Amino acid sequence: MIELQGIHKIYRMGAEEVHALRDVNLQIGENEFIAIVGPSGSGKSTMMNILGCLDSPTRGSYSLAGEEVSQLRDDQLADVRNRRIGFIFQSFNLLPRLTALQNVELPMVYAGVPAAERRRWAERALEQVGLKQRAHHRPNEMSGGQRQRVAIARAMVNNPAIMLADEPTGNLDTKTGEEIMALFHRLHREGKTIILVTHESEIAQQARRIVTFRDGKIVDDRINEVAS
Ligand code: ADP
Ligand code: ADP
């Protein structure tokens, strides 16, 4: 489903060059559950941005569901992103003036789904994360765990095959983090590919496969027997 070959990412800042990824090769199949780990600055976020079609590699090929996406223009990349990927962020990234329901509807607004249908799918997604009763609340009227569940509902509403999460439990207490992980496990059982970046080893240990980055390279890639 995902195949990266010879991926390099070089950031240029004036005369300075930062090699954020150096010759990364990675294959991810359907319905995997992967944790990406590694020290700060090792290239994890850069990898997520490329996997999620938010950014393109400087060199190398990226095949996503059979489509070569490494050389696409920004608007083409946005289209692939909207069709294939759901994003979840540490800081939830909800729009504060919109209700939970309106936040969840947003990806469908971009996808051109008619209003009545949007509402129906958004209500259903909120129901699936256990937040039907909060549909008309704004983010500041909700707890951190509830906000993250709204963000997960938003990420799944277009029915993407791949969910990418960057430190999804980083702003949550342990118990709430566990509830969020339980949601990821459910999505995984339903067939999604889950890829998450985490600093927390207890979170990484719940993934079926753990990929470790260091200095822009993959230095370890193993099946996690504990979770399998
Ligand atoms: P991680 O997520 O593992 O902390 P990053 O992918 O954020 O690592 O960063 C990898 C390297 O690339 C670091 O040296 C970082 O400073 C650099 N970097 C990341 N983003 C940019 C950017 N937009 N411009 C310049 N350098 C960047
Ligand atoms: P089931 O109930 O059998 O699991 P769904 O009701 O989830 O099936 O999906 C029925 C169809 O609607 C599928 O083709 C699915 O891809 C599509 N679909 C699911 N969610 C959305 C959405 N948020 N927006 C548009 N289409 C969707």
Side-chain angles (χ1 to χ4, degrees), residues 11-13 18-21 38-47 197 199 213:
Y11 294 109
R12 295 204 166 77
M13 303 188 297
V18 179
H19 289 248
L21 294 176
S40 179
S42 58
K44 304 183 300 294
S45 300
T46 302
M47 184 79 268
V197 165
H199 275 101
F213 278 77

Side-chain angles (χ1 to χ4, degrees), residues 2-167:
I2 286 175
E3 186 160 4
L4 301 171
Q5 274 183 326
I7 294 290
H8 290 256
K9 181 66 183 183
I10 301 171
Y11 294 109
R12 295 204 166 77
M13 303 188 297
E16 284 279 303
E17 283 191 347
V18 179
H19 289 248
L21 294 176
R22 308 162 183 265
D23 194 23
V24 170
N25 300 294
L26 181 64
Q27 286 190 16
I28 300 174
E30 275 177 32
N31 197 212
E32 289 209 46
F33 193 139
I34 299 186
I36 294 182
V37 303
S40 179
S42 58
K44 304 183 300 294
S45 300
T46 302
M47 184 79 268
M48 289 298 257
N49 289 343
I50 290 174
L51 283 173
C53 298
L54 289 163
D55 201 359
S56 296
T58 309
R59 277 208 308 281
S61 86
Y62 176 12
S63 166
L64 173 57
E67 184 180 0
E68 177 59 43
V69 299
S70 58
Q71 306 297 325
L72 295 182
R73 295 191 315 262
D74 285 352
D75 59 321
Q76 296 170 314
L77 211 53
D79 179 56
V80 173
R81 189 163 68 228
N82 291 335
R83 279 187 288 125
R84 305 241 183 246
I85 317 268
F87 287 97
I88 292 125
F89 304 92
Q90 175 171 6
S91 49
F92 322 129
N93 289 16
L94 301 175
L95 296 186
R97 291 178 183 279
L98 300 186
T99 64
L101 191 68
Q102 290 166 332
N103 268 286
V104 175
E105 282 187 37
L106 269 187
M108 294 183 285
V109 173
Y110 299 134
V113 178
E117 233 173 287
R118 276 198 320 250
R119 189 174 177 118
R120 193 150 47 83
W121 287 118
E123 282 172 346
R124 190 177 146 168
L126 281 174
E127 192 173 352
Q128 285 171 338
V129 299
L131 278 186
K132 198 180 180 181
Q133 76 291 358
R134 290 282 185 277
H136 301 290
H137 291 234
R138 293 204 168 80
N140 68 6
E141 300 168 313
M142 288 184 273
S143 69
Q146 289 173 339
R147 289 180 210 182
Q148 194 58 302
R149 283 191 278 157
V150 174
I152 291 172
R154 180 182 58 185
M156 58 192 238
V157 79
N158 277 342
N159 204 21
I162 303 167
M163 316 246 337
L164 291 180
D166 198 347
E167 299 281 359

Side-chain angles (χ1 to χ4, degrees), residues 190-208:
E190 289 170 1
K192 305 281 185 206
T193 293
I194 312 283
I195 306 173
L196 51 89
V197 165
T198 182
H199 275 101
E200 299 168 71
S201 63
E202 313 86 76
I203 299 292
Q205 285 306 328
Q206 297 188 30
R208 297 283 181 91

